[in-house]
Amino acid sequence: MQVTPEVVMPADWRASAEAMHGWRLDLLTAIDRRESIDVIAHYIRGAEHAWRMTCVPYDGALASISDLHPAAAWSERETSEMFGVRIGEGVPLLRHDHDTRPPMRKVTPLPARVETPWPGAAEPGDDGRQGANPSRRRTRPPGVQPEWEL
Amino acid sequence: MSRHGVIALIPEDCTSCMLCVRECPAWCITLESHTEQVDKADARRPRTINVLDQFTIDYGLCMYCGICIEVCPFDALEWRGDVDYSTVSRVDLDQGMDILAAWG
Ligand code: SF4
Ligand code: SF4
């Protein structure tokens, strides 16, 4: 299954959901693109799959589609609080400490990723007896962003 | 490729290159290896090879993304189907290479 998402303007998000009448909303989530948040929705009808995507600025807002697709209700709240974009009413439910940054934004450090030793730091064939190979450039582990300043 | 089941290791094909360990987004693969010298009569310099000592996947963290299988340049990792690997304790979800090599 390889379906390219149809990209719509934020203002057309509801219209795109309306056009999917008769489809089942399977997933609604987002991706932090570092300049904006891409909100994506996945719809299913029988064996058919369809993706819709829209690009919301960090301080932007998106209209809710949960009256059209009730399955969106929970995902919209989760996406909105975790990524820090306004979707619909935006009544907080999951995060009560709004002084902290939205956990799914890339700029938000994940404490576990900072504290846990990365298993990939070991060198091939280095069992600790010869000491680390100093010539290798340091690679940043997956999931660790440059601005966390490790 | 069989359908997604568990990730199995073929230890003979693994060169301890660390690629899968470094690419795993869940940080759930650990690998221990050491180097050994192989003496070849016709070689001008002694050659060293990496020898795999232990390879562990923590199935309490693995999310079955398959990235490790994709990146392995030696096809030493593969999907194998239908394995019941549930355990009674969290630590037993750390599956070592004997288990990873043996499951069906
Ligand atoms: S399937 Fe993904 S999460 Fe699991 S060991 Fe491989 S790379 Fe890591
Ligand atoms: S990528 Fe393949 S060869 Fe390299 S360490 Fe992992 S399993 Fe072994």
Side-chain angles (χ1 to χ4, degrees):
Chain A
M1 185 222 7
Q2 197 82 51
V3 184
T4 315
E6 191 181 301
V7 183
V8 302
M9 296 303 286
D12 299 330
W13 187 240
R14 271 187 67 82
S16 89
E18 229 156 351
M20 299 310 280
H21 183 75
W23 291 65
R24 181 165 69 80
L25 182 87
D26 168 59
L27 170 85
L28 188 144
T29 186
I31 304 163
D32 181 359
R33 295 291 187 198
R34 285 190 173 279
E35 286 166 356
S36 58
I37 304 284
D38 283 356
V39 176
I40 52 169
H42 179 229
Y43 297 89
I44 296 176
R45 188 176 64 186
E48 291 175 278
H49 296 263
W51 294 90
R52 296 291 178 270
M53 189 173 99
T54 191
C55 181
V56 189
Y58 278 150
D59 52 0
L62 198 62
S64 170
I65 57 166
S66 63
D67 56 322
L68 305 165
H69 297 276
W74 167 253
S75 310
E76 283 181 348
R77 296 187 88 158
E78 193 182 31
T79 304
S80 137
E81 288 185 60
M82 294 297 154
F83 288 88
V85 282
R86 263 181 70 94
I87 305 180
E89 292 287 300
V91 181
L93 174 72
L94 302 167
R95 290 175 55 231
H96 299 285
D97 179 5
H98 283 270
D99 296 334
T100 57
R101 287 187 276 192
M104 293 301 281
R105 287 269 183 98
K106 288 202 165 119
V107 293
T108 309
L110 298 174
R113 281 283 146 109
V114 178
E115 286 153 19
T116 312
W118 180 46
E123 292 298 321
D126 177 18
D127 57 3
R129 276 182 291 192
Q130 305 110 310
N133 179 0
S135 64
R136 219 182 119 255
R137 77 189 157 87
R138 259 190 79 197
T139 40
R140 190 178 307 116
V144 172
Q145 305 301 322
E147 56 268 62
W148 298 358
E149 284 172 13
L150 295 189
Chain B
M1 189 185 87
S2 71
R3 67 187 179 82
H4 289 200
V6 287
I7 290 136
L9 174 78
I10 304 155
E12 312 81 84
D13 293 344
C14 174
T15 64
S16 312
C17 71
M18 295 290 293
L19 277 182
C20 56
V21 182
R22 290 179 179 154
E23 294 298 324
C24 171
W27 297 17
C28 68
I29 309 176
T30 49
L31 186 154
E32 290 163 35
S33 60
H34 68 275
T35 47
E36 266 174 27
Q37 272 197 7
V38 280
D39 297 313
K40 269 176 119 187
D42 54 343
R44 272 181 283 160
R45 284 179 288 174
R47 270 180 12 101
T48 56
I49 53 158
N50 297 331
V51 181
L52 181 66
D53 296 316
Q54 186 53 279
F55 187 107
T56 310
I57 295 180
D58 182 348
Y59 274 103
L61 292 176
C62 172
M63 54 183 181
Y64 308 93
C65 63
I67 288 174
C68 51
I69 296 175
E70 289 287 313
V71 298
C72 177
F74 305 99
D75 292 339
L77 292 166
E78 65 180 21
W79 290 113
R80 280 192 207 149
D82 277 348
V83 181
D84 177 9
Y85 52 88
S86 54
T87 63
V88 288
S89 87
R90 171 69 182 85
V91 287
D92 292 339
L93 287 172
D94 268 333
Q95 313 274 18
M97 71 183 188
D98 298 346
I99 302 170
L100 297 179
W103 47 32

